[in-house]
């Protein structure tokens, strides 16, 4: 049995925004899950949702303050309720959906599951297979150190555009340096993707990455105490939680197991 562990937060938003009836939204949910199972070659799945009272809100007061408010349609909550009834979608503790996906991945076994999320934060998880359902890209993370990749493109006007992608622990430290404007995580001011890539690309060990990152924090925050404080804050915000002794994985199901409960038009 191979299980797709699905960060399902975006599914009800999408389903309730692009449709006009609850039944149409249900079809979007069904097709979304079906597509994920096909693309990941998984036979079973578990859906996870973010809970209210995210623990990261206690780390900083303005976590995710830069995100535009998600406008919910009149049947957004009905779609979430339907997903719970039909597919036993789960929210737990004060965790985000991608934290729960990571926890389930650790408990189930890294070779028995695929982590599914459009969120780039899951790229730090290793070892593991990560699938982005929006881009339909499958990435296999095998090495704990991970890697960064620099892609340079030139426009017809001669302008250079550099894009940095990554995975594993090196990608986590990359995020620690550049921050995440969407989630209002500041990183180190004046350290952008190119500088972060130059800092971390040749690092071979965890100590190398930490020391290189610490130098940038100390350079900006000036004192060791403040630099270490900001490193700890950003680590708590960016690191995917993978351990909770009280967490239990809901029983994975097959899509057809829910057919008897499906609504009719």
């Amino acid at each position: 049995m191979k299980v797709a562990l699905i960060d399902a937060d975006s599914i009800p938003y999408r389903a309730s925004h692009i449709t006009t009836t609850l039944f149409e939204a249900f079809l979007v949910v069904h097709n979304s899950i079906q597509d994920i199972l096909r693309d990941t070659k998984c036979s079973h799945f578990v859906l996870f949702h973010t809970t209210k009272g995210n623990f990261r809100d206690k780390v900083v007061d303005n976590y995710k303050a830069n995100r535009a408010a998600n406008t919910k349609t009149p049947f957004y909550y009905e779609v979430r309720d339907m997903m719970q009834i039909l597919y036993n979608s789960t929210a737990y503790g004060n965790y985000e959906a991608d934290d729960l996906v990571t926890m389930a991945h650790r408990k189930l076994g890294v070779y028995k599951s695929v982590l599914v999320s459009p969120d780039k934060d899951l790229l730090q998880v290793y070892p593991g297979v990560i699938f982005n359902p929006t881009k339909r890209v499958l990435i296999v993370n095998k090495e704990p150190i991970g890697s960064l990749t620099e892609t340079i493109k030139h426009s017809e006007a001669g302008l250079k555009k550099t894009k940095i992608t990554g995975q594993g622990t090196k990608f986590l430290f990359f995020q620690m340096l550049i921050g995440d404007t969407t989630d209002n995580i500041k990183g180190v001011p004046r350290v952008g993707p190119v500088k972060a890539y130059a800092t971390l690309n040749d690092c071979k060990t965890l100590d190398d990455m930490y020391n290189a990152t610490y130098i940038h924090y100390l350079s900006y925050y000036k004192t060791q105490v403040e630099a270490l404080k900001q490193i700890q804050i950003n680590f708590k915000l960016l690191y995917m939680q993978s351990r909770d002794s009280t967490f239990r994985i809901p029983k994975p199901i097959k899509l057809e197991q829910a057919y008897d409960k499906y609504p009719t038009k």
Side-chain angles (χ1 to χ4, degrees):
M1 178 177 69
K2 191 175 179 182
V3 182
L5 303 170
I6 303 173
D7 170 354
D9 278 348
S10 64
I11 295 177
Y13 280 112
R14 177 173 178 270
S16 57
H17 270 83
I18 66 174
T19 58
T20 57
T21 69
L22 183 58
F23 184 78
E24 290 174 350
F26 152 72
L27 292 178
V28 172
V29 173
H30 168 84
N31 291 337
S32 297
I33 297 171
Q34 189 175 57
D35 290 347
I36 288 170
L37 294 177
R38 180 197 64 223
D39 291 343
T40 60
K41 296 181 172 57
C42 288
S43 58
H44 293 67
F45 67 95
V46 182
L47 301 181
F48 296 100
H49 289 291
T50 295
T51 61
K52 292 182 179 179
N54 179 355
F55 79 92
R56 292 179 176 87
D57 292 331
K58 297 179 181 179
V59 179
V60 291
D61 294 332
N62 53 2
Y63 177 61
K64 291 193 175 181
N66 291 342
R67 290 202 177 195
N70 288 301
T71 304
K72 299 178 177 66
T73 66
F75 50 89
Y76 165 81
Y77 290 105
E78 285 86 342
V79 174
R80 279 199 61 162
D81 290 344
M82 177 186 66
M83 292 171 69
Q84 185 172 14
I85 293 169
L86 296 179
Y87 308 118
N88 193 29
S89 63
T90 298
Y92 175 79
N94 55 357
Y95 297 109
E96 295 186 57
D98 46 8
D99 292 308
L100 297 175
V101 166
T102 306
M103 290 180 192
H105 171 66
R106 299 296 188 204
K107 285 183 175 288
L108 189 62
V110 296
Y111 301 109
K112 296 180 181 179
S113 61
V114 176
L115 301 90
V116 180
S117 176
D119 195 325
K120 64 182 181 301
D121 293 339
L122 278 182
L123 293 172
Q124 67 182 250
V125 178
Y126 73 89
V129 179
I130 298 99
F131 178 69
N132 184 322
T134 304
K135 298 180 179 180
R136 296 185 67 183
V137 173
L138 195 72
I139 294 175
V140 180
N141 285 353
K142 294 182 178 180
E143 300 298 330
I145 296 301
S147 63
L148 297 173
T149 302
E150 180 183 47
T151 304
I152 299 175
K153 293 184 178 181
H154 295 273
S155 68
E156 293 182 358
L159 299 176
K160 184 173 77 170
K161 184 176 181 180
T162 302
K163 182 179 180 180
I164 310 297
T165 55
Q167 59 194 68
T169 305
K170 192 170 282 190
F171 183 65
L172 171 61
F173 277 94
F174 176 79
Q175 290 180 294
M176 293 270 293
L177 285 170
I178 70 169
D180 187 329
T181 55
T182 301
D183 288 346
N184 201 29
I185 301 173
K186 300 186 184 305
V188 180
R190 298 191 293 275
V191 176
V194 174
K195 183 178 286 188
Y197 172 82
T199 299
L200 297 168
N201 189 49
D202 292 333
C203 292
K204 304 298 183 185
T205 67
L206 182 61
D207 284 344
D208 290 344
M209 290 185 285
Y210 178 83
N211 291 333
T213 299
Y214 172 73
I215 288 172
H216 281 293
Y217 272 82
L218 184 61
S219 175
Y220 181 78
Y221 291 104
K222 304 306 180 185
T223 69
Q224 184 181 44
V225 171
E226 189 63 22
L228 291 174
K229 176 184 175 182
Q230 293 300 323
I231 288 174
Q232 290 172 350
I233 288 173
N234 283 347
F235 182 81
K236 289 178 181 178
L237 294 174
L238 288 164
Y239 179 67
M240 291 294 95
Q241 297 299 310
S242 60
R243 299 286 188 272
D244 186 324
S245 60
T246 63
F247 172 71
R248 297 291 181 270
I249 307 172
K251 184 178 180 181
I253 66 170
K254 288 187 174 183
L255 191 58
E256 54 264 31
Q257 287 178 240
Y259 285 176
D260 291 341
K261 296 183 285 185
Y262 272 13
T264 56
K265 190 170 184 180

